[in-house]
């Protein structure tokens, strides 16, 4: 404005800059990341039904190299997706004998550890189990509590919904059960110190820029 000498103008500009930076810092949005997971397994006779880490009474169970827990597999993939950490098939190949018949809770717990090591905290997880049979309404809350325990979160941050497929398709004819999961995570502002472990992401796979992407 008129009447200000150079010193006044510089001071005014300095104050305006400082305010802009401070307001920007206060308003800065947390670094939220979202991930989606999906899985489907075939229902067969002669196997126990395991969903969300729980045994659910039924005359069939889910076929799989592991215990076939389709819900925990979808949760696992949603977390990996949100944290940019490959996928469940990359980490636990279904032709690797060490994962044969494995309890999927162990796989999920291992992935939770990896997300923490990569500097993420888990925010909330929303799940849908697609199953014509058995009726799952009485297990929804227990499955959510089971998942909350595995993730180290309060139960109210996990939702499990159950839907039929209206008699249509492999889920609708009870040949299979599927699960869809969305997970939200927050990148911590200060990365935690690595606990003496090798970096999880192999260098050269996830982070090597393609031509034209170099910054
Ligand atoms: Mg699976």
């Amino acid at each position: 404005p008129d009447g200000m000498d150079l010193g006044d103008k510089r001071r005014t500009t300095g104050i305006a800059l400082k305010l802009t930076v401070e307001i920007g810092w206060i308003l800065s949005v947390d670094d939220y990341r979202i991930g989606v997971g999906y899985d489907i397994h075939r229902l067969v006779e002669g196997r126990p039904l395991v969903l969300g880490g729980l045994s659910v009474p039924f005359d069939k169970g889910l076929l799989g190299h592991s215990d076939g827990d389709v819900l925990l597999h979808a949760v696992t993939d949603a977390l990996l997706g949100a944290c940019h950490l490959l996928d469940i098939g990359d980490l636990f190949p279904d032709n690797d004998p060490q994962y044969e018949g494995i309890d999927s809770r162990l796989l999920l717990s291992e992935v939770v550890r990896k997300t923490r090591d990569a500097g993420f905290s888990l925010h909330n997880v929303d799940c849908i189990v697609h199953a014509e049979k058995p009726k799952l309404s009485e297990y929804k809350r227990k499955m959510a509590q089971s998942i909350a325990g595995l993730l180290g979160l309060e139960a109210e941050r996990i939702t499990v919904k159950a839907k039929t497929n209206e008699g249509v398709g492999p889920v609708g004819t009870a040949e299979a059960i599927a699960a869809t999961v969305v997970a939200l995570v927050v990148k911590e502002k200060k990365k935690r110190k690595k606990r003496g472990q090798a970096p999880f992401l192999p260098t050269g796979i996830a982070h090597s820029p393609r031509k034209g992407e170099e910054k």
Side-chain angles (χ1 to χ4, degrees):
D2 292 338
M4 287 175 103
D5 64 19
L6 194 57
D8 289 337
K9 283 179 184 167
R10 281 192 179 144
R11 271 191 293 281
T12 310
T13 310
I15 291 166
L17 266 175
K18 194 164 179 283
L19 280 175
T20 308
V21 169
E22 285 185 359
I23 289 170
W25 181 79
I26 290 164
L27 295 181
S28 72
V29 176
D30 280 322
D31 189 2
Y32 285 101
R33 314 254 177 120
I34 196 165
V36 63
Y38 170 80
D39 199 16
I40 183 166
H41 282 246
R42 200 180 284 272
L43 271 171
V44 295
E45 280 168 14
R47 279 178 68 96
L49 178 58
V50 183
L51 280 175
L54 292 185
S55 285
V56 176
F58 191 49
D59 57 0
K60 291 179 177 176
L62 293 171
L63 189 63
H65 185 64
S66 64
D67 60 8
D69 191 332
V70 69
L71 175 53
L72 289 195
H73 294 178
V75 171
T76 304
D77 246 355
L79 294 181
L80 289 170
C83 301
H84 192 56
L85 295 170
L86 306 175
D87 69 32
I88 191 170
D90 295 321
L91 294 178
F92 313 111
D94 65 6
N95 53 8
D96 187 333
Q98 68 172 309
Y99 302 121
E100 193 172 345
I102 197 167
D103 183 334
S104 297
R105 289 178 297 181
L106 297 176
L107 305 182
L108 178 55
S109 299
E110 172 67 6
V111 162
V112 168
R113 190 187 60 73
K114 286 184 193 298
T115 64
R116 294 211 177 109
D117 285 350
F120 292 94
S121 60
L122 312 182
H123 190 275
N124 72 298
V125 176
D126 190 14
C127 314
I128 305 172
V129 183
H130 311 268
E132 203 74 18
K133 285 178 188 171
K135 278 273 165 248
L136 293 173
S137 46
E138 65 175 295
Y139 298 100
K140 290 186 290 188
R141 187 181 291 262
K142 283 182 195 161
M143 287 192 273
Q145 285 167 346
S146 161
I147 294 167
L150 293 167
L151 303 185
L153 291 179
E154 309 96 297
E156 55 107 12
R157 287 178 186 260
I158 314 294
T159 306
V160 175
K161 307 190 287 294
K163 296 188 78 70
T164 70
N165 219 40
E166 295 287 328
V168 177
V171 170
T173 52
E175 290 169 67
I177 291 179
T180 308
V181 173
V182 172
L184 191 66
V185 304
V186 190
K187 179 85 175 171
E188 289 162 7
K189 287 194 171 140
K190 272 187 189 164
K191 201 171 172 183
R192 288 184 194 203
K193 256 187 155 178
K194 289 253 183 215
R195 287 174 233 144
Q197 280 153 344
F200 168 60
L201 279 174
T203 47
I205 294 182
H207 292 311
S208 50
R210 266 177 270 168
K211 261 205 165 132
E213 283 183 351
E214 290 94 347
K215 280 179 189 164

